[in-house]
Amino acid sequence: MSDSHEHLGFSAPDPVELNKLFPGYEIEGLIATGGMGAVYCAVQKSLDRTVALKILPQEFSTDAAFCAGFEAEAKAMARLNHPNLIGVYDFGEVGGMLFIIMEYVAGKSIYHSAHGQAIDPGEVIRLVTGVCNGLAHAHENGIIHRDIKPSNILLDLNAQPKIGDFGLARPIERKVEEGEEIFGTPGYTAPEVVNTPNAVDYRADIFSVGVLLHELLTGKLPADDRRPPSAISKCDSRFDVIVRRATHANPAGRYASAAEMAKDLAIIANNSGPRVHRAAIAGAPGHPGPRVAGPITPRRPVKVKKSSNSSLFILLLVLAAGGFGAYTYLNQLPAAPKPGQSQLPNASPAIPGPGIQPPPASADPEPVSDTPPVPESSLRPMPNPAPEAAPESDPATDAVPEETTLALPKYDVDGFLARARKIMHDKAKSYMADHEESLKANFNDFERALKRQARKAEINRDLLDAKIERRVARWKESGFLIPEETDQNLADIPDVDEIFAAYLEKEKTINATFQKSLLPLSGMYIQGMELQIGRLKTENDPPAIELIEKEISSTKESPEYFAELMTETAKSLEE
């Protein structure tokens, strides 16, 4: 399961510093950091309750639109109350940082419990049913999660799944802001999140649960292995139908609700023999009863400082910043049935499941190929004319022929990068304005220093002042930048070399500060490109992937590169 995100600019605050900002809590230690924030274990003094405290980077608190959405989402999440959802207790802003206080879960995530492994189908049904039940409650209360994946589902000490990281969640009625579609995780994100972000509804979560189901059954993402689960892990073939329906490219072809998906999982549990126990689906609609423990076992809690209930495992809530891609699971379903009607075929004709209607023969899905489709253009034979007699070679005039013809990308990479840079530029405006003001202030100090020293010169002062004015005017036109080398026309100014060197060093410090401030945005930019690569892998477009990978490499290797991109984007928008 590939589920990690690299964040380039966030540094987790020291717990000692946070204790001063949260007098009602005792911050016991850092649990985890990454993505777009840090999570701490804390004790709420008034209730003697262990909680999880998440801190977001300061730059988010300066974004008015983000703050408004954060408040709306936190209030909506606080209203949720379900055993398969991590509870939200409080939220706010302190010390210029947004924070959220949540239920502490002394366990580890499905990602850490089953990384790259296929687990027992009965255990898969229990876990995914719990996820469906939690999502059904969230959806009924108007909340879309939008980032369901293994690392966002914790297992408590009883191995009960609990969904967290509602950092990307939003009320259904809230409109998507420009650039918000970059959020999400490659491989798990529904196609409409990128293609039509304003049309996203709860069915985007169902898509992600379908990917999760495939991954738990096989240890692989559908994007990495397009075969149905039963062909990979020899599980019940009825899982194939559930995965295909949940991950249908068209939202209308998916389950009408998460609860409906849970019901189809219950059918397999009730009818698959000793491998899957009925008790494994406790909590599913109409199936109460004790839960049978599966192969995933919880980890014992680990003490953190003073709290006896603390452990070092909690869901790392990750805001994804950045991206513009998702993948499309290519298997197509028959027409969507009426609500409540199952599409699951019987595993065996001799043992029909209760309430299961086999699909008509005409609705059978197309067989899934193990290899991606070959583009039509590659099927056309290249012309093969009869060979002609080669003319005599003339080394003086013959050009060296190209050995290969470069393939052109089918995807508009230039247009994609232009849109991505525009979105990043819009988010970087405040940093760029501060940078420009700092450069101007440093340059004005430099100009005053030159004129001050010019008064000490022994030559004609008026002539020297005129030289300074001409050169200063030229340097201002070039962006208030100080030349790398001393201008020899000003050599008569005493200590002129030291003046140039001193203010050039200050300029470099200003640039370094600017580049550091852009690191969170460059991380978002990189993530957006990685998302798009995940989508292009399903479209057989290696040239486009190669171009985007080069852009990722350039951005990762050089903070100066991303800063220059933002500057150049600003110039192009002004023209």
Side-chain angles (χ1 to χ4, degrees), residues 186-218:
Y188 299 90
T189 310
E192 66 269 19
V193 173
V194 175
N195 299 332
T196 55
N198 281 303
V200 170
D201 59 20
Y202 60 88
R203 291 173 293 186
D205 286 344
I206 292 174
F207 181 98
S208 301
V209 177
V211 175
L212 175 67
L213 175 61
H214 182 286
E215 188 173 17
L216 292 178
L217 289 168
T218 67

PDB file of all heavy atoms in Angstrom, residues 186-218:
ATOM      1  N   PRO A 186      -3.271   9.523  -4.751  1.00  0.00           N
ATOM      2  CA  PRO A 186      -3.206   8.747  -5.998  1.00  0.00           C
ATOM      3  C   PRO A 186      -3.636   7.301  -5.764  1.00  0.00           C
ATOM      4  O   PRO A 186      -3.248   6.676  -4.791  1.00  0.00           O
ATOM      5  CB  PRO A 186      -1.724   8.834  -6.378  1.00  0.00           C
ATOM      6  CG  PRO A 186      -1.219  10.068  -5.711  1.00  0.00           C
ATOM      7  CD  PRO A 186      -1.995  10.182  -4.430  1.00  0.00           C
ATOM      8  N   GLY A 187      -4.440   6.785  -6.680  1.00  0.00           N
ATOM      9  CA  GLY A 187      -4.885   5.405  -6.578  1.00  0.00           C
ATOM     10  C   GLY A 187      -6.206   5.227  -5.885  1.00  0.00           C
ATOM     11  O   GLY A 187      -6.922   4.255  -6.120  1.00  0.00           O
ATOM     12  N   TYR A 188      -6.570   6.150  -4.996  1.00  0.00           N
ATOM     13  CA  TYR A 188      -7.807   6.019  -4.221  1.00  0.00           C
ATOM     14  C   TYR A 188      -8.871   7.047  -4.617  1.00  0.00           C
ATOM     15  O   TYR A 188     -10.011   6.931  -4.219  1.00  0.00           O
ATOM     16  CB  TYR A 188      -7.524   6.179  -2.719  1.00  0.00           C
ATOM     17  CG  TYR A 188      -6.572   5.153  -2.153  1.00  0.00           C
ATOM     18  CD1 TYR A 188      -5.202   5.390  -2.129  1.00  0.00           C
ATOM     19  CD2 TYR A 188      -7.033   3.944  -1.656  1.00  0.00           C
ATOM     20  CE1 TYR A 188      -4.320   4.461  -1.622  1.00  0.00           C
ATOM     21  CE2 TYR A 188      -6.156   2.994  -1.143  1.00  0.00           C
ATOM     22  CZ  TYR A 188      -4.792   3.259  -1.131  1.00  0.00           C
ATOM     23  OH  TYR A 188      -3.914   2.328  -0.634  1.00  0.00           O
ATOM     24  N   THR A 189      -8.469   8.081  -5.361  1.00  0.00           N
ATOM     25  CA  THR A 189      -9.363   9.205  -5.636  1.00  0.00           C
ATOM     26  C   THR A 189     -10.265   8.935  -6.832  1.00  0.00           C
ATOM     27  O   THR A 189      -9.802   8.497  -7.883  1.00  0.00           O
ATOM     28  CB  THR A 189      -8.536  10.477  -5.899  1.00  0.00           C
ATOM     29  OG1 THR A 189      -7.582  10.626  -4.849  1.00  0.00           O
ATOM     30  CG2 THR A 189      -9.426  11.695  -5.955  1.00  0.00           C
ATOM     31  N   ALA A 190     -11.537   9.227  -6.668  1.00  0.00           N
ATOM     32  CA  ALA A 190     -12.508   9.022  -7.745  1.00  0.00           C
ATOM     33  C   ALA A 190     -12.245   9.987  -8.899  1.00  0.00           C
ATOM     34  O   ALA A 190     -11.788  11.110  -8.682  1.00  0.00           O
ATOM     35  CB  ALA A 190     -13.926   9.213  -7.210  1.00  0.00           C
ATOM     36  N   PRO A 191     -12.535   9.585 -10.146  1.00  0.00           N
ATOM     37  CA  PRO A 191     -12.250  10.436 -11.310  1.00  0.00           C
ATOM     38  C   PRO A 191     -12.912  11.800 -11.253  1.00  0.00           C
ATOM     39  O   PRO A 191     -12.312  12.803 -11.639  1.00  0.00           O
ATOM     40  CB  PRO A 191     -12.789   9.610 -12.489  1.00  0.00           C
ATOM     41  CG  PRO A 191     -12.810   8.207 -12.005  1.00  0.00           C
ATOM     42  CD  PRO A 191     -13.073   8.277 -10.532  1.00  0.00           C
ATOM     43  N   GLU A 192     -14.139  11.880 -10.731  1.00  0.00           N
ATOM     44  CA  GLU A 192     -14.850  13.159 -10.749  1.00  0.00           C
ATOM     45  C   GLU A 192     -14.229  14.188  -9.813  1.00  0.00           C
ATOM     46  O   GLU A 192     -14.466  15.388  -9.959  1.00  0.00           O
ATOM     47  CB  GLU A 192     -16.330  12.957 -10.404  1.00  0.00           C
ATOM     48  CG  GLU A 192     -16.595  12.477  -8.987  1.00  0.00           C
ATOM     49  CD  GLU A 192     -16.630  10.960  -8.874  1.00  0.00           C
ATOM     50  OE1 GLU A 192     -16.106  10.288  -9.789  1.00  0.00           O
ATOM     51  OE2 GLU A 192     -17.171  10.461  -7.871  1.00  0.00           O
ATOM     52  N   VAL A 193     -13.432  13.756  -8.833  1.00  0.00           N
ATOM     53  CA  VAL A 193     -12.776  14.703  -7.931  1.00  0.00           C
ATOM     54  C   VAL A 193     -11.880  15.639  -8.724  1.00  0.00           C
ATOM     55  O   VAL A 193     -11.716  16.811  -8.388  1.00  0.00           O
ATOM     56  CB  VAL A 193     -11.968  13.953  -6.855  1.00  0.00           C
ATOM     57  CG1 VAL A 193     -11.147  14.923  -6.010  1.00  0.00           C
ATOM     58  CG2 VAL A 193     -12.904  13.144  -5.963  1.00  0.00           C
ATOM     59  N   VAL A 194     -11.304  15.129  -9.815  1.00  0.00           N
ATOM     60  CA  VAL A 194     -10.435  15.936 -10.673  1.00  0.00           C
ATOM     61  C   VAL A 194     -11.192  16.510 -11.857  1.00  0.00           C
ATOM     62  O   VAL A 194     -11.075  17.691 -12.179  1.00  0.00           O
ATOM     63  CB  VAL A 194      -9.250  15.092 -11.182  1.00  0.00           C
ATOM     64  CG1 VAL A 194      -8.408  15.880 -12.180  1.00  0.00           C
ATOM     65  CG2 VAL A 194      -8.391  14.640 -10.014  1.00  0.00           C
ATOM     66  N   ASN A 195     -12.014  15.672 -12.479  1.00  0.00           N
ATOM     67  CA  ASN A 195     -12.651  16.090 -13.727  1.00  0.00           C
ATOM     68  C   ASN A 195     -13.794  17.089 -13.515  1.00  0.00           C
ATOM     69  O   ASN A 195     -13.917  18.063 -14.265  1.00  0.00           O
ATOM     70  CB  ASN A 195     -13.178  14.848 -14.465  1.00  0.00           C
ATOM     71  CG  ASN A 195     -12.065  13.886 -14.822  1.00  0.00           C
ATOM     72  OD1 ASN A 195     -10.922  14.286 -15.014  1.00  0.00           O
ATOM     73  ND2 ASN A 195     -12.381  12.602 -14.911  1.00  0.00           N
ATOM     74  N   THR A 196     -14.631  16.851 -12.509  1.00  0.00           N
ATOM     75  CA  THR A 196     -15.764  17.748 -12.231  1.00  0.00           C
ATOM     76  C   THR A 196     -15.875  17.948 -10.723  1.00  0.00           C
ATOM     77  O   THR A 196     -16.812  17.440 -10.082  1.00  0.00           O
ATOM     78  CB  THR A 196     -17.072  17.156 -12.786  1.00  0.00           C
ATOM     79  OG1 THR A 196     -17.247  15.821 -12.248  1.00  0.00           O
ATOM     80  CG2 THR A 196     -17.056  17.099 -14.297  1.00  0.00           C
ATOM     81  N   PRO A 197     -14.924  18.667 -10.105  1.00  0.00           N
ATOM     82  CA  PRO A 197     -14.885  18.766  -8.638  1.00  0.00           C
ATOM     83  C   PRO A 197     -16.149  19.342  -8.024  1.00  0.00           C
ATOM     84  O   PRO A 197     -16.482  19.007  -6.891  1.00  0.00           O
ATOM     85  CB  PRO A 197     -13.665  19.656  -8.379  1.00  0.00           C
ATOM     86  CG  PRO A 197     -13.398  20.367  -9.669  1.00  0.00           C
ATOM     87  CD  PRO A 197     -13.827  19.425 -10.741  1.00  0.00           C
ATOM     88  N   ASN A 198     -16.855  20.205  -8.730  1.00  0.00           N
ATOM     89  CA  ASN A 198     -18.070  20.785  -8.169  1.00  0.00           C
ATOM     90  C   ASN A 198     -19.236  19.801  -8.153  1.00  0.00           C
ATOM     91  O   ASN A 198     -20.282  20.090  -7.568  1.00  0.00           O
ATOM     92  CB  ASN A 198     -18.465  22.041  -8.947  1.00  0.00           C
ATOM     93  CG  ASN A 198     -17.637  23.242  -8.554  1.00  0.00           C
ATOM     94  OD1 ASN A 198     -17.590  23.617  -7.386  1.00  0.00           O
ATOM     95  ND2 ASN A 198     -16.937  23.832  -9.510  1.00  0.00           N
ATOM     96  N   ALA A 199     -19.062  18.655  -8.826  1.00  0.00           N
ATOM     97  CA  ALA A 199     -20.126  17.654  -8.865  1.00  0.00           C
ATOM     98  C   ALA A 199     -19.854  16.484  -7.921  1.00  0.00           C
ATOM     99  O   ALA A 199     -20.582  15.500  -7.930  1.00  0.00           O
ATOM    100  CB  ALA A 199     -20.288  17.122 -10.297  1.00  0.00           C
ATOM    101  N   VAL A 200     -18.817  16.579  -7.106  1.00  0.00           N
ATOM    102  CA  VAL A 200     -18.448  15.478  -6.219  1.00  0.00           C
ATOM    103  C   VAL A 200     -19.490  15.313  -5.117  1.00  0.00           C
ATOM    104  O   VAL A 200     -19.920  16.292  -4.501  1.00  0.00           O
ATOM    105  CB  VAL A 200     -17.052  15.734  -5.601  1.00  0.00           C
ATOM    106  CG1 VAL A 200     -16.760  14.721  -4.498  1.00  0.00           C
ATOM    107  CG2 VAL A 200     -15.982  15.662  -6.671  1.00  0.00           C
ATOM    108  N   ASP A 201     -19.901  14.056  -4.861  1.00  0.00           N
ATOM    109  CA  ASP A 201     -20.806  13.775  -3.753  1.00  0.00           C
ATOM    110  C   ASP A 201     -20.298  12.547  -3.005  1.00  0.00           C
ATOM    111  O   ASP A 201     -19.147  12.127  -3.185  1.00  0.00           O
ATOM    112  CB  ASP A 201     -22.247  13.605  -4.241  1.00  0.00           C
ATOM    113  CG  ASP A 201     -22.412  12.472  -5.249  1.00  0.00           C
ATOM    114  OD1 ASP A 201     -21.540  11.579  -5.297  1.00  0.00           O
ATOM    115  OD2 ASP A 201     -23.414  12.473  -5.997  1.00  0.00           O
ATOM    116  N   TYR A 202     -21.136  11.969  -2.157  1.00  0.00           N
ATOM    117  CA  TYR A 202     -20.728  10.863  -1.291  1.00  0.00           C
ATOM    118  C   TYR A 202     -20.229   9.653  -2.072  1.00  0.00           C
ATOM    119  O   TYR A 202     -19.524   8.794  -1.536  1.00  0.00           O
ATOM    120  CB  TYR A 202     -21.911  10.453  -0.397  1.00  0.00           C
ATOM    121  CG  TYR A 202     -23.115   9.997  -1.175  1.00  0.00           C
ATOM    122  CD1 TYR A 202     -23.267   8.663  -1.547  1.00  0.00           C
ATOM    123  CD2 TYR A 202     -24.097  10.892  -1.574  1.00  0.00           C
ATOM    124  CE1 TYR A 202     -24.354   8.243  -2.286  1.00  0.00           C
ATOM    125  CE2 TYR A 202     -25.194  10.480  -2.306  1.00  0.00           C
ATOM    126  CZ  TYR A 202     -25.321   9.156  -2.661  1.00  0.00           C
ATOM    127  OH  TYR A 202     -26.392   8.747  -3.399  1.00  0.00           O
ATOM    128  N   ARG A 203     -20.593   9.545  -3.360  1.00  0.00           N
ATOM    129  CA  ARG A 203     -20.178   8.378  -4.140  1.00  0.00           C
ATOM    130  C   ARG A 203     -18.685   8.368  -4.423  1.00  0.00           C
ATOM    131  O   ARG A 203     -18.126   7.325  -4.772  1.00  0.00           O
ATOM    132  CB  ARG A 203     -20.986   8.318  -5.440  1.00  0.00           C
ATOM    133  CG  ARG A 203     -22.460   7.982  -5.214  1.00  0.00           C
ATOM    134  CD  ARG A 203     -23.287   8.095  -6.467  1.00  0.00           C
ATOM    135  NE  ARG A 203     -23.384   9.480  -6.929  1.00  0.00           N
ATOM    136  CZ  ARG A 203     -24.137   9.891  -7.936  1.00  0.00           C
ATOM    137  NH1 ARG A 203     -24.883   8.998  -8.590  1.00  0.00           N
ATOM    138  NH2 ARG A 203     -24.174  11.148  -8.288  1.00  0.00           N
ATOM    139  N   ALA A 204     -18.010   9.519  -4.243  1.00  0.00           N
ATOM    140  CA  ALA A 204     -16.553   9.534  -4.341  1.00  0.00           C
ATOM    141  C   ALA A 204     -15.943   8.705  -3.214  1.00  0.00           C
ATOM    142  O   ALA A 204     -14.915   8.031  -3.399  1.00  0.00           O
ATOM    143  CB  ALA A 204     -16.028  10.968  -4.293  1.00  0.00           C
ATOM    144  N   ASP A 205     -16.553   8.732  -2.030  1.00  0.00           N
ATOM    145  CA  ASP A 205     -16.082   7.905  -0.918  1.00  0.00           C
ATOM    146  C   ASP A 205     -16.298   6.425  -1.211  1.00  0.00           C
ATOM    147  O   ASP A 205     -15.459   5.582  -0.870  1.00  0.00           O
ATOM    148  CB  ASP A 205     -16.814   8.279   0.367  1.00  0.00           C
ATOM    149  CG  ASP A 205     -16.344   9.601   0.959  1.00  0.00           C
ATOM    150  OD1 ASP A 205     -15.268  10.075   0.554  1.00  0.00           O
ATOM    151  OD2 ASP A 205     -17.054  10.147   1.821  1.00  0.00           O
ATOM    152  N   ILE A 206     -17.426   6.094  -1.842  1.00  0.00           N
ATOM    153  CA  ILE A 206     -17.702   4.696  -2.170  1.00  0.00           C
ATOM    154  C   ILE A 206     -16.648   4.164  -3.143  1.00  0.00           C
ATOM    155  O   ILE A 206     -16.206   3.011  -3.047  1.00  0.00           O
ATOM    156  CB  ILE A 206     -19.124   4.566  -2.747  1.00  0.00           C
ATOM    157  CG1 ILE A 206     -20.150   4.866  -1.648  1.00  0.00           C
ATOM    158  CG2 ILE A 206     -19.356   3.180  -3.351  1.00  0.00           C
ATOM    159  CD1 ILE A 206     -21.590   4.906  -2.115  1.00  0.00           C
ATOM    160  N   PHE A 207     -16.225   5.001  -4.091  1.00  0.00           N
ATOM    161  CA  PHE A 207     -15.150   4.615  -5.010  1.00  0.00           C
ATOM    162  C   PHE A 207     -13.909   4.224  -4.216  1.00  0.00           C
ATOM    163  O   PHE A 207     -13.284   3.185  -4.468  1.00  0.00           O
ATOM    164  CB  PHE A 207     -14.850   5.773  -5.950  1.00  0.00           C
ATOM    165  CG  PHE A 207     -13.780   5.497  -6.970  1.00  0.00           C
ATOM    166  CD1 PHE A 207     -14.112   5.126  -8.266  1.00  0.00           C
ATOM    167  CD2 PHE A 207     -12.436   5.614  -6.651  1.00  0.00           C
ATOM    168  CE1 PHE A 207     -13.124   4.868  -9.213  1.00  0.00           C
ATOM    169  CE2 PHE A 207     -11.445   5.373  -7.588  1.00  0.00           C
ATOM    170  CZ  PHE A 207     -11.793   4.997  -8.867  1.00  0.00           C
ATOM    171  N   SER A 208     -13.519   5.067  -3.256  1.00  0.00           N
ATOM    172  CA  SER A 208     -12.311   4.808  -2.471  1.00  0.00           C
ATOM    173  C   SER A 208     -12.433   3.539  -1.642  1.00  0.00           C
ATOM    174  O   SER A 208     -11.456   2.798  -1.475  1.00  0.00           O
ATOM    175  CB  SER A 208     -12.018   6.007  -1.560  1.00  0.00           C
ATOM    176  OG  SER A 208     -11.830   7.186  -2.312  1.00  0.00           O
ATOM    177  N   VAL A 209     -13.631   3.269  -1.114  1.00  0.00           N
ATOM    178  CA  VAL A 209     -13.838   2.038  -0.350  1.00  0.00           C
ATOM    179  C   VAL A 209     -13.698   0.823  -1.267  1.00  0.00           C
ATOM    180  O   VAL A 209     -13.164  -0.215  -0.860  1.00  0.00           O
ATOM    181  CB  VAL A 209     -15.215   2.047   0.342  1.00  0.00           C
ATOM    182  CG1 VAL A 209     -15.455   0.722   1.069  1.00  0.00           C
ATOM    183  CG2 VAL A 209     -15.297   3.195   1.331  1.00  0.00           C
ATOM    184  N   GLY A 210     -14.145   0.945  -2.508  1.00  0.00           N
ATOM    185  CA  GLY A 210     -13.960  -0.154  -3.459  1.00  0.00           C
ATOM    186  C   GLY A 210     -12.490  -0.441  -3.713  1.00  0.00           C
ATOM    187  O   GLY A 210     -12.076  -1.608  -3.806  1.00  0.00           O
ATOM    188  N   VAL A 211     -11.685   0.625  -3.809  1.00  0.00           N
ATOM    189  CA  VAL A 211     -10.237   0.437  -3.964  1.00  0.00           C
ATOM    190  C   VAL A 211      -9.663  -0.235  -2.725  1.00  0.00           C
ATOM    191  O   VAL A 211      -8.836  -1.154  -2.816  1.00  0.00           O
ATOM    192  CB  VAL A 211      -9.544   1.792  -4.211  1.00  0.00           C
ATOM    193  CG1 VAL A 211      -8.032   1.615  -4.252  1.00  0.00           C
ATOM    194  CG2 VAL A 211     -10.029   2.425  -5.505  1.00  0.00           C
ATOM    195  N   LEU A 212     -10.089   0.221  -1.552  1.00  0.00           N
ATOM    196  CA  LEU A 212      -9.623  -0.370  -0.292  1.00  0.00           C
ATOM    197  C   LEU A 212      -9.974  -1.854  -0.225  1.00  0.00           C
ATOM    198  O   LEU A 212      -9.142  -2.683   0.190  1.00  0.00           O
ATOM    199  CB  LEU A 212     -10.250   0.379   0.880  1.00  0.00           C
ATOM    200  CG  LEU A 212      -9.975  -0.170   2.284  1.00  0.00           C
ATOM    201  CD1 LEU A 212      -8.506  -0.012   2.642  1.00  0.00           C
ATOM    202  CD2 LEU A 212     -10.854   0.521   3.308  1.00  0.00           C
ATOM    203  N   LEU A 213     -11.190  -2.213  -0.632  1.00  0.00           N
ATOM    204  CA  LEU A 213     -11.613  -3.612  -0.625  1.00  0.00           C
ATOM    205  C   LEU A 213     -10.702  -4.452  -1.520  1.00  0.00           C
ATOM    206  O   LEU A 213     -10.235  -5.529  -1.117  1.00  0.00           O
ATOM    207  CB  LEU A 213     -13.068  -3.707  -1.089  1.00  0.00           C
ATOM    208  CG  LEU A 213     -13.643  -5.118  -1.264  1.00  0.00           C
ATOM    209  CD1 LEU A 213     -13.612  -5.881   0.050  1.00  0.00           C
ATOM    210  CD2 LEU A 213     -15.075  -5.048  -1.813  1.00  0.00           C
ATOM    211  N   HIS A 214     -10.453  -3.976  -2.734  1.00  0.00           N
ATOM    212  CA  HIS A 214      -9.552  -4.683  -3.654  1.00  0.00           C
ATOM    213  C   HIS A 214      -8.178  -4.856  -3.034  1.00  0.00           C
ATOM    214  O   HIS A 214      -7.564  -5.940  -3.096  1.00  0.00           O
ATOM    215  CB  HIS A 214      -9.463  -3.895  -4.959  1.00  0.00           C
ATOM    216  CG  HIS A 214      -8.596  -4.528  -6.012  1.00  0.00           C
ATOM    217  ND1 HIS A 214      -7.214  -4.545  -5.947  1.00  0.00           N
ATOM    218  CD2 HIS A 214      -8.912  -5.162  -7.176  1.00  0.00           C
ATOM    219  CE1 HIS A 214      -6.726  -5.146  -7.002  1.00  0.00           C
ATOM    220  NE2 HIS A 214      -7.736  -5.534  -7.767  1.00  0.00           N
ATOM    221  N   GLU A 215      -7.677  -3.794  -2.402  1.00  0.00           N
ATOM    222  CA  GLU A 215      -6.318  -3.828  -1.863  1.00  0.00           C
ATOM    223  C   GLU A 215      -6.188  -4.783  -0.684  1.00  0.00           C
ATOM    224  O   GLU A 215      -5.193  -5.503  -0.551  1.00  0.00           O
ATOM    225  CB  GLU A 215      -5.912  -2.415  -1.444  1.00  0.00           C
ATOM    226  CG  GLU A 215      -4.455  -2.296  -1.041  1.00  0.00           C
ATOM    227  CD  GLU A 215      -4.054  -0.864  -0.793  1.00  0.00           C
ATOM    228  OE1 GLU A 215      -4.939  -0.012  -0.626  1.00  0.00           O
ATOM    229  OE2 GLU A 215      -2.845  -0.597  -0.754  1.00  0.00           O
ATOM    230  N   LEU A 216      -7.188  -4.824   0.194  1.00  0.00           N
ATOM    231  CA  LEU A 216      -7.125  -5.728   1.333  1.00  0.00           C
ATOM    232  C   LEU A 216      -7.241  -7.186   0.898  1.00  0.00           C
ATOM    233  O   LEU A 216      -6.659  -8.081   1.510  1.00  0.00           O
ATOM    234  CB  LEU A 216      -8.233  -5.393   2.324  1.00  0.00           C
ATOM    235  CG  LEU A 216      -8.103  -4.052   3.059  1.00  0.00           C
ATOM    236  CD1 LEU A 216      -9.293  -3.833   3.974  1.00  0.00           C
ATOM    237  CD2 LEU A 216      -6.796  -3.980   3.841  1.00  0.00           C
ATOM    238  N   LEU A 217      -7.989  -7.440  -0.173  1.00  0.00           N
ATOM    239  CA  LEU A 217      -8.139  -8.810  -0.669  1.00  0.00           C
ATOM    240  C   LEU A 217      -6.899  -9.301  -1.400  1.00  0.00           C
ATOM    241  O   LEU A 217      -6.617 -10.504  -1.415  1.00  0.00           O
ATOM    242  CB  LEU A 217      -9.344  -8.895  -1.611  1.00  0.00           C
ATOM    243  CG  LEU A 217     -10.735  -8.776  -0.971  1.00  0.00           C
ATOM    244  CD1 LEU A 217     -11.789  -8.579  -2.038  1.00  0.00           C
ATOM    245  CD2 LEU A 217     -11.049 -10.020  -0.120  1.00  0.00           C
ATOM    246  N   THR A 218      -6.157  -8.383  -2.027  1.00  0.00           N
ATOM    247  CA  THR A 218      -5.056  -8.784  -2.922  1.00  0.00           C
ATOM    248  C   THR A 218      -3.687  -8.276  -2.497  1.00  0.00           C
ATOM    249  O   THR A 218      -2.665  -8.796  -2.966  1.00  0.00           O
ATOM    250  CB  THR A 218      -5.322  -8.280  -4.346  1.00  0.00           C
ATOM    251  OG1 THR A 218      -5.262  -6.838  -4.353  1.00  0.00           O
ATOM    252  CG2 THR A 218      -6.681  -8.733  -4.852  1.00  0.00           C
TER     253      THR A 218
END
